[in-house]
Amino acid sequence: MKFLIIGDIVGEPGRNILFKYLKKRKQNYDFIIVNGENSAGGFGITGKIADQIFAHGADVITLGNHSWDRKEIYSYINEEKRMIRPINFVKEAPGRGYTIVEKKGKKVAVINAQAKVFMPPIACPFLAIDEIIPEISKTADIIILDFHGEATSEKLAMGWNLNGKASLVYGTHTHVQTADERVLPGGTAYITDVGMTGGHDGVLGMNKRESLQKFKDGMPSKYSVCEDNIKINGIEVDINENNGKAVSIRRINMHYDEV
């Protein structure tokens, strides 16, 4: 099976290039996962935007530390099982931390977890993952983890933690695509961060003027979405659906005019 993973969508520019890409290429993939936690103006996601992403071909939407920036998503995520938030949020949080979707006769489990290092306080993602993996493995043919975190060391550690247990472990959140994609010895595809889909001539998808000013004076600043140099970042991963082992992983980094 061929999987498409799209890095953090930032605002309308990110949505526009995502939709353009999927309209032309979604038929090339068997399963599509999109991180949508910044898709609504750079902070959070709405039900309307989620519906648009699903309508364009996404099978699962993952989130992260901005999951709850739009309050309206609380009820939506409880109803929409294809949208997941980090599994190590408190148990009272809306929604779920993983979902299992059947495609082409195979059950694909997608898990979302949030890292701890340089991130808001949260329960240990390693313990949460170790607890749920044996149960998921009983029914899922393929297991994929979106690990939403800041530190490269923590993400790489999670890759090794799931080596041979998951088909794919990929990082989100930093909005900077890394060049360390590989298939680990146990058959787990890995990359530290898949990158960002949106305006790349700013700071992490937001306009640079506000970011620069905040770094200079430390005062609160209202960020606006960058609309310059729009690119789509992600990965393509081939997974053997018979044994759940990854065959290959390739980065995607395309400008709007190239899509």
Side-chain angles (χ1 to χ4, degrees):
M1 292 180 70
K2 190 168 188 177
F3 290 76
L4 172 67
I5 314 297
I6 298 296
D8 304 40
I9 307 299
V10 182
E12 186 176 7
R15 302 197 307 269
N16 287 342
I17 191 172
L18 170 69
F19 298 157
K20 182 181 180 184
Y21 186 93
L22 292 179
K23 282 180 180 178
K24 291 184 177 180
R25 294 176 170 83
K26 65 180 179 181
Q27 69 276 4
N28 298 334
Y29 305 102
D30 300 305
F31 204 97
I32 300 171
I33 306 172
V34 175
N35 187 289
E37 70 140 11
N38 298 126
S39 56
F43 300 95
I45 186 171
T46 66
K48 180 180 179 180
I49 289 173
D51 286 341
Q52 291 173 345
I53 295 174
F54 285 130
H56 279 84
D59 294 289
V60 175
I61 296 175
T62 57
L63 301 176
N65 59 297
H66 288 289
S67 295
W68 316 124
D69 286 8
R70 306 282 176 154
K71 303 303 181 184
E72 65 187 84
I73 208 63
Y74 284 34
S75 58
Y76 183 94
I77 197 172
N78 277 327
E79 299 295 329
E80 179 52 79
K81 294 183 178 180
R82 295 173 298 170
M83 176 185 283
I84 56 175
R85 44 74 172 169
I87 196 168
N88 49 328
F89 279 174
V90 295
K91 63 180 181 180
E92 294 82 6
R96 56 202 58 80
Y98 76 92
T99 189
I100 298 178
V101 178
E102 186 168 345
K103 290 289 291 288
K104 299 187 69 174
K106 298 296 180 179
K107 293 182 179 179
V108 179
V110 183
I111 312 169
N112 200 183
Q114 184 172 308
K116 291 180 70 176
V117 180
F118 307 128
M119 298 289 286
I122 197 168
C124 178
F126 291 88
L127 295 179
I129 293 296
D130 287 351
E131 180 180 359
I132 199 65
I133 282 291
E135 185 65 27
I136 293 177
S137 299
K138 293 177 182 178
T139 57
D141 300 294
I142 293 171
I143 298 175
I144 296 173
L145 172 66
D146 175 343
F147 194 31
H148 198 76
E150 190 76 30
T152 55
S153 59
E154 190 175 11
K155 291 180 178 180
L156 187 54
M158 182 61 81
W160 286 114
N161 183 56
L162 292 180
N163 181 34
K165 300 177 183 178
S167 306
L168 167 63
V169 175
Y170 65 93
T172 56
H173 177 70
T174 70
H175 291 203
V176 178
Q177 190 180 71
T178 56
D180 60 340
E181 73 278 7
R182 62 181 293 196
V183 178
L184 300 176
T188 299
Y190 173 84
I191 186 171
T192 297
D193 205 289
V194 295
M196 178 198 79
T197 298
H200 281 244
D201 276 1
V203 179
L204 306 185
M206 311 306 285
N207 278 315
K208 50 185 172 285
R209 59 179 178 270
E210 295 99 350
S211 297
L212 286 169
Q213 191 61 42
K214 186 170 183 178
F215 277 115
K216 290 178 179 180
D217 61 23
M219 298 300 292
S221 179
K222 184 177 181 181
Y223 293 107
S224 57
V225 174
C226 175
E227 299 181 357
D228 300 319
N229 191 19
I230 301 171
K231 292 183 178 181
I232 186 168
N233 283 175
I235 54 173
E236 293 178 345
V237 183
D238 284 307
I239 297 174
N240 185 327
E241 62 265 31
N242 295 317
N243 61 17
K245 303 295 185 182
V247 177
S248 64
I249 177 172
R250 184 183 75 85
R251 278 179 289 140
I252 298 170
N253 184 5
M254 299 176 66
H255 189 271
Y256 190 89
D257 293 336
E258 300 174 312
V259 171

